[in-house]
Amino acid sequence: MKGQILEALRERTHYVSGEALSHQLGTSRVSIWKHIRGLKEDGYVIEASAKGYRLVSSPDLLLPYEFPGLEQRIHYFPEIGSTMDAARELAKKGAGEGTIVIAEVQTRGRGRLSREWLSPEGGIYFTLVLRPRISPAYAPRINLMAGIAVAVTIKELYGLKAELKWPNDVLIEGKKVCGILAEMDAETDVLNFVNVGIGINVNTSLPRFEKTATSLKDALGREISRKKFLSALAVEIERWLPLLMKADLLEEWRRLSATLNRDVRIMSLGEEVTGQAMDIDATGALLVKDKAGSLRTVLVGDCIHLRE
Ligand code: ATP
């Protein structure tokens, strides 16, 4: 109901009477009044006068009712330890594909190998529960899919060139604007779920990672609407999900990649591979031509871009 009231208020620039709202939305005036009060408590500025209600301003919060169509699937937290932990619990209890955990702030946001992911107010932090019917070996393609969706959204909304760093980062001018983390629950050949966490530096500044991180605000020189960004990103993810196992996904990743054709050093499980990043294979593994000229398949690891 809050979402519908907002929509009705946004359709008009002047006052809408409580009676008109109750008529349009098929509910009582008391119920409208209660929901308006709820919206005000959530931070919306709504003027009430004898002529009715008028929406003056909206907070840029990622409240579920701001995302019509997704609302029922969103679990929203003003603050949480980690959206990954909450989503894992939900998925373990059977939460369906498309369940989303969103937080305004994470106090224990994490990246790969439990590394810290700074998640102050102003960013977008969410985890999406997916249950694709694919072999666990292909699960890393979900990282690729999420990266593509983020990079395409940045480009389409703001015209900024966003590039993908294997395996899980989105970069603007070489600096990390978004980190992606996929965690799966699988048996040998059955994938139960894959939770994909996406942390985007939107209206944030991260002095601690000044040299390696950026935000959309830093790149654009202005703050942007996080609601608008997340709505567009959700559409993009829905567009790419059906293409998860298609060659198109790999093609798009190659097109957006900042890693391919670069000299890279990759550290994984005590092993180090240095060479030129040549391609990715169908499982999302990176193919690196090492100094001796052999093609090495790297499934996962820390990747350093050495030079152009
Ligand atoms: P790298 O970025 O060096 O390849 P990684 O991809 O393994 O590392 P992630 O798991 O994606 O790392 O992210 C964790 C690392 O990112 C942290 O160790 C820290 O250096 C950096 N970091 C933490 N918070 C942020 C943030 N909000 N934006 C950009 N970088 C961050």
Side-chain angles (χ1 to χ4, degrees), residues 111-112 115-119 165 168-169 176 179-180 201 206 209 212-213 302-303:
R112 288 192 314 117
R115 287 174 189 144
E116 178 187 25
W117 183 263
L118 287 188
S119 312
K165 180 181 175 222
N168 61 346
D169 296 334
K176 210 188 309 192
I180 292 161
N201 302 327
L206 300 161
F209 297 116
T212 54
D302 288 331
C303 172

Side-chain angles (χ1 to χ4, degrees), residues 8 11 17 60 68 89 102 107 118 121 128 173-174 184-185 201 242 246 256 271 282:
E11 278 168 9
S17 71
D60 190 24
E89 265 183 44
I102 300 179
T107 52
L118 287 188
E121 197 180 328
L128 172 65
E173 291 185 5
M184 69 170 168
D185 184 277
N201 302 327
K246 301 274 193 262
L256 294 167
E271 208 196 357

Side-chain angles (χ1 to χ4, degrees), residues 70-238:
L70 299 178
E71 189 177 347
Q72 307 302 328
R73 303 199 244 138
I74 296 178
H75 298 250
Y76 172 82
F77 299 88
E79 184 178 302
I80 200 172
S82 151
T83 60
M84 295 306 282
D85 295 343
R88 170 164 284 270
E89 265 183 44
L90 287 167
K92 286 261 185 208
K93 286 187 196 144
E97 158 120 345
T99 300
I100 306 170
V101 179
I102 300 179
E104 300 288 350
V105 168
Q106 291 186 113
T107 52
R108 288 191 311 279
R110 56 184 156 83
R112 288 192 314 117
L113 308 171
S114 298
R115 287 174 189 144
E116 178 187 25
W117 183 263
L118 287 188
S119 312
E121 197 180 328
I124 294 178
Y125 316 105
F126 70 98
T127 300
L128 172 65
V129 177
L130 296 174
R131 297 183 182 276
R133 285 197 203 93
I134 59 174
S135 150
Y138 293 112
R141 289 176 79 117
I142 289 167
N143 271 325
L144 307 185
M145 184 279 299
I148 291 170
V150 171
V152 169
T153 304
I154 291 175
K155 169 88 180 133
E156 286 192 351
L157 289 184
Y158 310 110
L160 292 172
K161 184 175 177 197
E163 296 180 295
L164 302 177
K165 180 181 175 222
W166 186 88
N168 61 346
D169 296 334
V170 183
L171 310 178
I172 293 178
E173 291 185 5
K175 292 180 171 185
K176 210 188 309 192
V177 69
C178 163
I180 292 161
L181 179 69
E183 285 180 354
M184 69 170 168
D185 184 277
E187 281 134 54
T188 322
D189 52 357
V190 184
L191 198 52
N192 296 323
F193 60 83
V194 182
N195 288 346
V196 57
I198 302 185
I200 308 164
N201 302 327
V202 184
N203 296 326
T204 47
S205 291
L206 300 161
R208 230 174 89 195
F209 297 116
E210 201 179 0
K211 294 210 172 74
T212 54
T214 188
S215 66
L216 292 174
K217 179 180 91 172
D218 287 348
L220 289 164
R222 65 180 165 93
E223 297 209 343
I224 58 155
S225 161
R226 294 180 312 137
K227 273 183 292 199
K228 187 173 157 197
F229 187 89
L230 187 54
S231 296
L233 177 57
V235 170
E236 209 54 46
I237 290 175
E238 292 211 351

